[in-house]
Amino acid sequence: MNKRFPVYYPLILAVTLALGVLIGSSLYRRPLVSADRGNSPGNKLSNIIQLIESAYVDTVNTDEIVENSIPALLENLDPHSTYIPARDMQEVEEEMQGNFSGIGVQFSIQEDTIMIIDVISGGPSSKLGILAGDRIVQINDSLVAGTGIKNEKVLKLLRGKKGTNVKVGIQRKGFRNRLDFDIIRGEIPIYSVDVSYMIDDQTGFIKVSRFAEQTYQEFNKAMEQLDKAGASRIIVDLRGNPGGYLAAVIKMVNDFLEKGETILYTQGKSQPKKVYTANARNAWAGKSLYLLIDEFSASASEIFAGAIQDNDRGIVIGRRSFGKGLVQEQIPFSDGSAIRLTVARYYTPSGRSIQKSYQEGNEKYFEDLFARMEHGEFSSADSIHFADSLRYQTKKGRTVYGGGGIMPDFFVPADTTGNSTYFEKIYQKQLVYQYAFQYSDQHRESLKKMKQAAEIATYLDSQGILDSFVRYAASKGVPADQNGLKLSGHIISTQLKAYIARNILGEEGFYPIIQQIDKTLLKAIEISHQNLIVENVGNNRES
């Protein structure tokens, strides 16, 4: 196994598991067929259920048997045809619709204590005066401090139907007694655009984390703000974006293309070919476009990258994307559950199907990222080979390949230059994150006076933040390692400043600082400053 990427193992495992749900998100909503068909004599599955009910030795819950059998049945199709039980439907729908009902706080559980990290402006908690740094010690009649409570339990207690009440007991610094709040749950947005800001006088940056119902509106608002700020170059970060609604990505790509240019087309056995083309809007025709992708960019992210690449509209930078080119349609059952059935494949404008193979089964399919890593793909573009039969041409004649993901125009290897045994130990214990929260909590009043990420970073450097962290890590069982600090000190220091700034300013504090060690973003900035045009990129596989 490749030893250079130990830090990536838990990340890859977590994201590949999430992709099995998230990139299977419904792209169409109209009912395809009635899901509740009768039990005809020729239906073997229905007959088996009837036999169990009438002849099995014991009394069993056949509804439960059916619930457990449906996922196994769908596993025989493809990795993205999935079953959603009725109990999970609300959460899944909230994720894609872009809102849920709750009290409007972001929290983290630290040492069995629910710490409020941020309060959503204009939300129910904000209106009542709940503050970042407050500790939630009681929810309704449940004591939640020091009880080993988990995130899922907290979410279940705090979320609920809009307009309903939840009582929250708060412990606040400087107050001896508990503060009690009666909060009326409200609609809380889940944002798709994490952040947008100007990197320099001409370069704007937008981070898009998913494609949901409100993503286009959020993206358009961010583009308008960057346009007013003078951005002539736009970097759109789709790294880690697992996909989502087809409608959202089509609208976004449409605003970068000329009328009549193809965005994508879909086709399946029972689905006739449907071509999606750009209309006359082309709102951002004058903007140079640079897209960032990686091995966790999937589905709608790949539609975006494929359309831009095949139309020679912008430059794609990063590493080969996930390779999910299947279209799901959501089909409801009368009990509130649903299946998301794969009904078509999507193709990029040049005709590429970027769906990677799933012929060896679902387990191998989701382990593909591990295989790529072990094969060396994360470190070298030369390790990636494409069959000539999968060769396609962009609008201006550049060669691109199908067969599994979008290959970027500029390859940027995963950065391992700052890895060390010392860094791995503090990463595994999540000490950077824990220290950043603790420091933010203890110095919140001073830090709140600073309104810019750069201001916070400069202040933290003056306070010797890295030395302070090294002492903290030693107290947590990771003694100082001078060789490790020589290799990883800059990365650790930058992460500390970024996470502390995030705790105070949100994502507007985090991204401008973490940018300093983001090799893919730094490469995009370099390319954008060179004013490269697509015609001069050729078939670049630079690493």
Side-chain angles (χ1 to χ4, degrees):
M1 181 174 287
N2 192 322
K3 298 296 184 182
R4 292 174 295 172
F5 299 97
V7 171
Y8 281 77
Y9 296 164
L11 177 63
I12 290 175
L13 180 60
V15 175
T16 51
L17 289 173
L19 283 167
V21 177
L22 292 174
I23 65 178
S25 297
S26 171
L27 299 181
Y28 299 133
R29 287 247 173 171
R30 64 172 181 78
L32 178 67
V33 294
S34 171
D36 294 316
R37 294 182 172 180
N39 293 336
S40 64
N43 188 327
K44 186 181 291 187
L45 291 177
S46 295
N47 288 342
I48 290 172
I49 295 298
Q50 289 177 345
L51 284 169
I52 292 172
E53 289 178 330
S54 62
Y56 186 64
V57 62
D58 295 320
T59 300
V60 295
N61 186 335
T62 53
D63 288 340
E64 185 177 337
I65 292 173
V66 170
E67 286 285 303
N68 294 334
S69 300
I70 294 173
L73 181 67
L74 295 177
E75 281 183 7
N76 291 284
L77 302 179
D78 66 83
H80 302 296
S81 289
T82 59
Y83 174 65
I84 308 170
R87 64 180 179 273
D88 298 333
M89 185 58 71
Q90 180 179 347
E91 183 178 346
V92 171
E93 291 295 299
E94 287 173 348
E95 177 75 16
M96 297 310 298
Q97 290 170 2
N99 60 71
F100 64 93
S101 294
I103 69 169
V105 300
Q106 294 180 12
F107 67 88
S108 174
I109 299 176
Q110 301 279 335
E111 297 178 350
D112 278 352
T113 303
I114 304 169
M115 312 277 201
I116 295 178
I117 295 174
D118 194 17
V119 180
I120 296 173
S121 178
S125 294
S126 173
K127 292 176 182 177
L128 291 177
I130 292 176
L131 304 173
D134 285 348
R135 276 81 163 153
I136 299 177
V137 295
Q138 187 164 336
I139 303 175
N140 290 327
D141 296 326
S142 300
L143 182 67
V144 294
T147 60
I149 196 165
K150 302 298 182 184
N151 284 333
E152 295 78 9
K153 178 67 173 178
V154 178
L155 289 173
K156 187 175 181 180
L157 289 170
L158 293 180
R159 290 187 179 184
K161 189 176 180 180
K162 181 180 178 181
T164 59
N165 290 60
V166 58
K167 294 180 180 179
V168 175
I170 295 289
Q171 191 69 49
R172 179 176 296 171
K173 278 188 175 181
F175 289 77
R176 179 176 298 178
N177 297 322
R178 190 183 71 192
L179 305 176
D180 293 318
F181 295 87
D182 192 353
I183 308 172
I184 299 175
R185 295 182 177 98
E187 194 170 274
I188 310 301
I190 303 174
Y191 293 107
S192 304
V193 174
D194 290 350
V195 71
S196 63
Y197 66 95
M198 293 293 290
I199 290 174
D200 54 48
D201 291 343
Q202 297 184 57
T203 310
F205 174 84
I206 304 178
K207 171 67 176 177
V208 183
S209 58
R210 65 175 66 82
F211 292 92
E213 287 186 358
Q214 299 301 314
T215 304
Y216 173 69
Q217 290 79 359
E218 292 177 39
F219 184 79
N220 201 47
K221 181 180 178 181
M223 285 293 299
E224 289 174 350
Q225 291 173 343
L226 295 177
D227 181 53
K228 289 179 182 178
S232 60
R233 305 183 289 252
I234 303 294
I235 298 173
V236 178
D237 189 351
L238 300 177
R239 290 174 296 173
N241 184 322
Y245 280 158
L246 180 64
V249 70
I250 286 175
K251 289 177 182 178
M252 292 162 70
V253 173
N254 177 72
D255 286 353
F256 289 99
L257 297 183
E258 298 285 348
K259 182 179 181 180
E261 289 185 314
T262 300
I263 298 172
L264 81 153
Y265 67 88
T266 61
Q267 192 168 15
K269 182 193 70 176
S270 301
Q271 298 273 332
K273 182 177 180 179
K274 183 172 183 179
V275 182
Y276 297 83
T277 57
N279 62 25
R281 179 171 163 81
N282 198 8
W284 312 118
K287 308 295 184 189
S288 299
L289 181 62
Y290 307 88
L291 293 183
L292 309 186
I293 63 172
D294 65 7
E295 54 276 2
F296 303 127
S297 304
S299 191
S301 295
E302 296 172 294
I303 290 174
F304 200 132
I308 295 301
Q309 191 176 61
D310 283 7
N311 285 294
D312 296 297
R313 175 59 182 85
I315 296 174
V316 182
I317 302 159
R319 292 185 294 279
R320 183 162 65 110
S321 62
F322 182 83
K324 195 271 186 180
L326 300 176
V327 181
Q328 282 72 52
E329 184 160 353
Q330 185 163 303
I331 306 165
F333 290 85
S334 58
D335 67 349
S337 62
I339 63 169
R340 286 178 174 172
L341 186 68
T342 297
V343 297
R345 296 177 185 271
Y346 76 74
Y347 299 82
T348 69
S350 66
R352 288 185 284 171
S353 170
I354 59 171
Q355 175 62 46
K356 64 185 179 181
S357 173
Y358 49 86
Q359 298 305 310
E360 296 185 28
N362 292 357
E363 186 175 351
K364 285 284 187 182
Y365 179 82
F366 288 110
E367 288 178 352
D368 174 64
L369 294 185
F370 288 100
R372 290 193 201 179
M373 181 184 65
E374 293 177 345
H375 184 61
E377 181 177 323
F378 290 2
S379 59
S380 173
D382 292 335
S383 68
I384 308 167
H385 303 285
F386 298 97
D388 286 341
S389 60
L390 300 173
R391 183 193 299 261
Y392 295 84
Q393 299 294 314
T394 68
K395 190 174 182 180
K396 295 182 178 178
R398 295 190 301 135
T399 298
V400 289
Y401 291 89
I406 297 291
M407 185 67 189
D409 300 308
F410 282 85
F411 177 87
V412 182
D415 183 21
T416 61
T417 56
N419 280 5
S420 66
T421 302
Y422 180 71
F423 181 70
E424 289 170 18
K425 289 177 180 178
I426 65 171
Y427 179 87
Q428 289 165 357
K429 291 192 173 188
Q430 299 184 346
L431 295 183
V432 169
Y433 178 81
Q434 292 173 18
Y435 176 85
F437 182 85
Q438 185 182 103
Y439 188 94
S440 303
D441 193 48
Q442 293 173 351
H443 301 85
R444 192 174 300 276
E445 292 305 313
S446 298
L447 292 168
K448 280 171 59 178
K449 298 174 184 177
M450 305 173 199
K451 304 302 180 184
Q452 300 293 329
E455 187 179 1
I456 290 178
T458 300
Y459 171 79
L460 293 174
D461 280 333
S462 72
Q463 298 300 302
I465 195 71
L466 180 58
D467 291 339
S468 176
F469 171 77
V470 170
R471 292 191 293 271
Y472 171 83
S475 73
K476 297 294 183 178
V478 184
D481 177 345
Q482 292 306 313
N483 289 330
L485 283 167
K486 185 176 180 180
L487 287 170
S488 307
H490 178 59
I491 290 177
I492 296 169
S493 175
T494 305
Q495 288 184 346
L496 287 167
K497 291 180 285 187
Y499 281 115
I500 291 170
R502 172 183 271 170
N503 290 333
I504 303 302
L505 301 176
E507 304 299 351
E508 291 79 4
F510 178 80
Y511 279 95
I513 296 176
I514 209 69
Q515 167 187 316
Q516 300 169 24
I517 57 172
D518 186 342
K519 292 296 181 67
T520 303
L521 178 53
L522 292 174
K523 183 65 175 180
I525 296 169
E526 175 191 332
I527 291 169
S528 72
H529 287 180
Q530 292 172 354
N531 291 317
L532 281 178
I533 57 176
V534 174
E535 289 91 332
N536 293 336
V537 171
N539 302 316
N540 200 309
R541 290 160 64 83
E542 180 175 299
S543 49

